[in-house]
Amino acid sequence: MSIRPTESSAHSSNLSGDDAAPIRHDWTREQITALFDLPFDDLLYRAHTVQRRYHAGRGLQISQLLSIKTGGCPEDCGYCSQSVHAETDLKAIALMSVDAVLQAAAQAKAAGVQRFCMGAAWRSPRERDLERVCAMVEGVKALGLETCVTLGMLTDAQAQRLADSGLDYYNHNIDTSPEYYPSVITTRTLQERLDTLEHVRNAGLKVCCGGIVGMGESREDRVGMLQTLANLPAHPESVPVNSLMRIEGTRLAHERDVDGLEFVRTIAVARIVMPASVIRLSAGREHMSDELQALCLFAGAGSVFIGEKLLTTSNPAPHQDRELIDRLGATSQESAPIQWIAKSRQ
Ligand code: SF4
């Protein structure tokens, strides 16, 4: 079935009616493929129109991600330097103290960050570690920041414990399509990931869930990934779209770059199939030109991570991000110019 525009189609390129970009959970592969296949201009026009309709005046959401427990992870995600299966010289670091995390969060807030994300390299958290993470969440919330954690698989009870601590978002990515998934990771099934997402939703937490582009997958896989996300019972509030950071010693270190315009198409299609979600331009910005990043924002990305590191991989230098955001005239979530309070300190 095609969704190529017709005058009468609810998916017409003329997005003037309320039905033109409905929130749907029944996307077919053919429909999503047809979006990818649109002429670039048409796709961007449609995606940006959805962005204006659902996110008018919302400004750029700015997050920072801290690795609170690094390395030694038993999972075998082929892209990750923190896996014990990767041959990298990454030094494992035990779970940080609450005080050290709160210090980092306070610095992030001073640098204009709105959401503070904390990641731990676990298959799933142990109970006593979870208690410490909950104390971190409470402390970060008290600083006036939104909170997100990514800790691996959760039970219902663990998700509830995190919700009780005041956590806003839980991140757990599906990474890629169901078909390509076993080429990326074998120690945890996609269904296990979906089960964790269900526990997170049941606990009333907001969901951050997306994937990675450039792992050797085909466009069909990118279609499959977006279909899986868009047909979840509720769309993730936050959808990170990462460009693979190739790390020597990981299984996917030598995958070929995905064409920048194909990356923009992936962002644009994500924008259209999950209209109300915030699409996050996540890992890989370091290797993108300013112009490519600007195109991703125009295509529907509404959030970036700032700070020198994204867990263990590098990110653009803070001054580069400040300059780019200022040059683009981007506003903060409150529609005000972004205040770089700590400019002189970074
Ligand atoms: S991506 Fe997460 S779960 Fe996978 S190996 Fe890395 S730290 Fe472990």
Side-chain angles (χ1 to χ4, degrees):
M1 181 178 161
S2 166
I3 61 156
R4 283 194 182 278
T6 63
E7 283 301 316
S8 58
S9 167
H11 309 291
S12 158
S13 62
N14 174 14
L15 293 173
S16 56
D18 283 346
D19 292 339
I23 306 246
R24 299 172 46 193
H25 304 270
D26 60 351
W27 286 95
T28 66
R29 293 247 173 149
E30 291 73 18
Q31 290 170 334
I32 298 176
T33 301
L35 287 173
F36 265 99
D37 288 346
L38 283 170
F40 192 71
D41 283 1
D42 290 349
L43 175 58
L44 256 60
Y45 174 73
R46 290 184 62 161
H48 190 73
T49 306
V50 172
Q51 179 76 0
R52 294 259 159 176
R53 172 169 305 154
Y54 281 86
H55 303 269
R58 207 177 250 183
L60 191 64
Q61 197 277 331
I62 296 182
S63 301
Q64 190 162 324
L65 175 57
L66 175 70
S67 178
I68 58 171
K69 183 266 171 187
T70 304
C73 182
E75 305 292 345
D76 71 348
C77 308
Y79 50 83
C80 181
S81 62
Q82 302 201 65
S83 166
V84 293
H85 305 272
E87 289 171 7
T88 61
D89 51 10
L90 184 79
K91 190 167 160 276
I93 303 171
L95 182 61
M96 289 171 70
S97 69
V98 174
D99 282 352
V101 170
L102 295 189
Q103 207 179 339
Q107 282 171 1
K109 183 169 164 75
V113 166
Q114 299 144 359
R115 186 179 308 163
F116 194 68
C117 309
M118 295 162 270
W122 289 319
R123 175 170 170 82
S124 51
R126 293 180 303 183
E127 295 310 312
R128 78 159 189 267
D129 291 333
L130 190 65
E131 286 310 308
R132 199 190 293 179
V133 173
C134 288
M136 293 171 187
V137 169
E138 283 166 20
V140 173
K141 290 279 288 186
L143 293 171
L145 288 161
E146 282 188 318
T147 51
C148 178
V149 297
T150 181
L151 313 173
M153 294 187 289
L154 295 182
T155 63
D156 253 328
Q158 289 177 320
Q160 193 55 60
R161 175 71 190 92
L162 285 165
D164 293 344
S165 74
L167 181 69
D168 298 296
Y169 289 82
Y170 193 81
N171 165 266
H172 202 55
N173 292 334
I174 60 164
D175 287 351
T176 188
S177 69
E179 294 78 11
Y180 197 63
Y181 184 93
S183 308
V184 176
I185 175 166
T186 64
T187 50
R188 157 195 299 176
T189 66
L190 179 58
Q191 187 54 52
E192 285 177 307
R193 292 192 190 231
L194 296 174
D195 292 345
T196 288
L197 292 174
E198 195 181 332
H199 300 153
V200 167
R201 277 274 179 231
N202 289 344
L205 291 165
K206 292 180 199 153
V207 170
C208 175
C209 181
I212 306 174
V213 170
M215 298 193 294
E217 80 286 348
S218 61
R219 176 181 277 185
E220 217 172 287
D221 292 311
R222 292 188 277 280
V223 168
M225 174 180 84
L226 293 182
Q227 184 197 31
T228 305
L229 291 169
N231 289 351
L232 287 170
H235 291 167
E237 282 81 359
S238 204
V239 179
V241 179
N242 297 280
S243 172
L244 177 69
M245 292 290 285
R246 288 184 298 278
I247 303 166
E248 209 48 59
T250 61
R251 201 155 29 85
L252 301 178
H254 300 289
E255 289 302 337
R256 276 193 315 142
D257 261 347
V258 164
D259 169 43
L261 295 186
E262 178 70 9
F263 187 80
V264 176
R265 281 184 185 273
T266 309
I267 298 253
V269 175
R271 166 70 299 139
I272 293 168
V273 298
M274 293 171 279
S277 304
V278 173
I279 310 297
R280 303 166 76 86
L281 178 56
S282 302
R285 285 197 304 113
E286 195 195 29
H287 301 303
M288 294 180 196
S289 67
D290 286 355
E291 292 79 6
L292 182 57
Q293 292 184 61
L295 210 45
C296 289
L297 296 176
F298 183 81
S303 167
V304 292
F305 285 98
I306 63 166
E308 273 168 15
K309 283 212 154 174
L310 269 183
L311 292 178
T312 61
T313 57
S314 49
N315 205 37
H319 74 89
Q320 281 177 317
D321 274 341
R322 281 197 299 265
E323 281 163 21
L324 175 59
I325 290 170
D326 286 347
R327 275 162 65 213
L328 293 173
T331 56
S332 71
Q333 274 180 310
E334 294 79 27
S335 301
I338 294 169
Q339 299 297 316
W340 302 115
I341 300 162
K343 233 174 192 172
S344 58
R345 275 197 265 137
Q346 290 193 15

